[in-house]
Amino acid sequence: MSKKIVIANWKMHLNASQASLLLHRLQERIRIHREVEVVIAPSMLVLQPLSVQIDRRKFRLAAQNAYHQDKGAFTGEVSFTMLQDLAHYVIIGHSERRIYFNENLDIVSKKVSACVRNGITPILCVGETKQERKLGEAKRVIHDQIYTALSGLTTSEVSNMIIAYEPVWAISTFGGEVATPAQVGRVLEFIRMQVEELYGKQAAKKIRIIYGGSVDDKTVGGFLQIEQCDGVLVGNASLNYIKFAGIVDEAYRQSLV
Ligand code: PEP
């Protein structure tokens, strides 16, 4: 069984002292787990102070976004190059960025390339809207998102990355309908097949494919039991240290069976 990864997406929540306090609480509760990788994605503003506070035996840091150019006159942006020493991962293509910030397939693909070029591992989010699912277009949408985002990457770059399946309709921001592990399992399998078709068996085996969408300490067990599921991406519930520590505990418990 592969090592599970649990990622906290704090979104645009918590100022510096609140973020520091939440990290402190998590560090108190979460033990060093060799079998589970725990990643915190705080706001850009607090990445730096948290990088000093963080216990690297327990956690890794991720950024929630970055700009695809390495440097230049791009007021207000932060590049992947600037994140090299701070973030192990960057979340790319999150549905909130695709929907609220009009990030299309081309922008997402440029960000994935910039991320890899700068030695950072992308966490690529893909997933269909409710309407697309209703119209039977979910697979085509996910195929297009994967195909464009991965184009230009080598097999080893693809093998190293993470794809998070996050159906838009299951994310708390957009309604948070509960997806069943059976529904999720079918899509995770489809994603692995897509990777196999594009990059071969080894890449499909090695790439980590995770699930995100209103996961909490009560529901996480069902998702982690899916054969194809290498972990979870958690939004809302990651802001509550009891719930998030509970999610990590469950991942640890499952690593023992
Ligand atoms: C997310 O933002 O990636 C996410 C899964 O959010 P939530 O858990 O709140 O649905």
Side-chain angles (χ1 to χ4, degrees):
M1 187 184 285
S2 73
K3 179 172 175 167
K4 301 284 186 209
I5 185 165
V6 176
I7 305 170
N9 177 10
W10 288 357
K11 310 195 184 192
M12 198 178 72
H13 293 291
L14 313 177
N15 63 23
S17 51
Q18 291 164 334
S20 170
L21 181 62
L22 179 53
L23 179 62
H24 172 74
R25 297 238 187 280
L26 291 173
Q27 299 199 139
E28 272 180 344
R29 288 202 165 229
I30 293 174
R31 286 178 293 147
I32 299 170
H33 290 309
R34 235 170 293 142
E35 302 76 3
V36 182
E37 181 179 348
V38 186
V39 179
I40 309 284
S43 77
M44 199 67 96
L45 185 68
V46 302
L47 259 180
Q48 208 285 327
L50 290 200
S51 77
V52 179
Q53 181 187 346
I54 207 158
D55 183 342
R56 287 167 200 277
R57 296 168 305 169
K58 296 183 180 178
F59 303 102
R60 281 180 162 162
L61 282 173
Q64 297 173 19
N65 179 39
Y67 190 58
H68 66 270
Q69 299 279 1
D70 289 344
K71 63 176 180 183
F74 301 103
T75 302
E77 293 299 311
V78 172
S79 70
F80 289 91
T81 312
M82 291 166 166
L83 291 172
Q84 276 176 351
D85 304 332
L86 281 178
H88 198 93
Y89 299 99
V90 178
I91 298 173
I92 299 173
H94 192 281
S95 56
E96 288 155 17
R97 296 218 54 91
R98 292 185 195 258
I99 292 167
Y100 297 145
F101 300 95
N102 303 316
E103 287 194 3
N104 58 25
L105 297 178
D106 181 47
I107 293 174
V108 170
S109 160
K110 284 185 175 139
K111 288 191 177 197
V112 170
S113 299
C115 188
V116 168
R117 181 171 75 237
N118 282 287
I120 303 174
T121 303
I123 300 165
L124 171 71
C125 299
V126 300
E128 79 287 359
T129 62
K130 191 168 181 176
Q131 179 73 356
E132 288 162 347
R133 175 164 274 251
K134 256 194 205 151
L135 295 172
E137 291 179 353
K139 285 188 175 170
R140 181 194 56 75
V141 168
I142 292 166
H143 166 84
D144 291 353
Q145 289 172 338
I146 292 175
Y147 184 80
T148 51
L150 271 48
S151 67
L153 300 190
T154 65
T155 304
S156 92
E157 287 163 349
V158 169
S159 306
N160 269 327
M161 66 184 285
I162 296 176
I163 296 180
Y165 171 52
E166 299 211 304
V168 178
W169 46 273
I171 294 187
S172 60
T173 320
F174 301 111
E177 255 178 62
V178 180
T180 65
Q183 277 173 321
V184 172
R186 281 193 287 275
V187 182
L188 298 190
E189 201 172 326
F190 172 74
I191 292 173
R192 215 174 281 281
M193 266 169 45
Q194 295 300 295
V195 175
E196 182 171 338
E197 269 174 30
L198 294 167
Y199 289 91
K201 265 200 167 47
Q202 280 310 312
K205 203 171 161 208
K206 214 173 153 226
I207 193 170
R208 285 174 289 173
I209 304 175
I210 66 174
Y211 174 68
S214 302
V215 172
D216 64 18
D217 50 333
K218 305 279 180 315
T219 58
V220 67
F223 296 117
L224 289 175
Q225 271 165 17
I226 300 168
E227 204 193 324
Q228 300 289 339
C229 186
D230 295 311
V232 285
L233 176 50
V234 185
N236 240 347
S238 72
L239 295 166
N240 177 314
Y241 66 91
I242 296 172
K243 285 187 182 173
F244 190 68
I247 291 170
V248 175
D249 280 350
E250 180 59 30
Y252 176 63
R253 261 195 299 279
Q254 289 207 13
S255 75
L256 299 176
V257 293

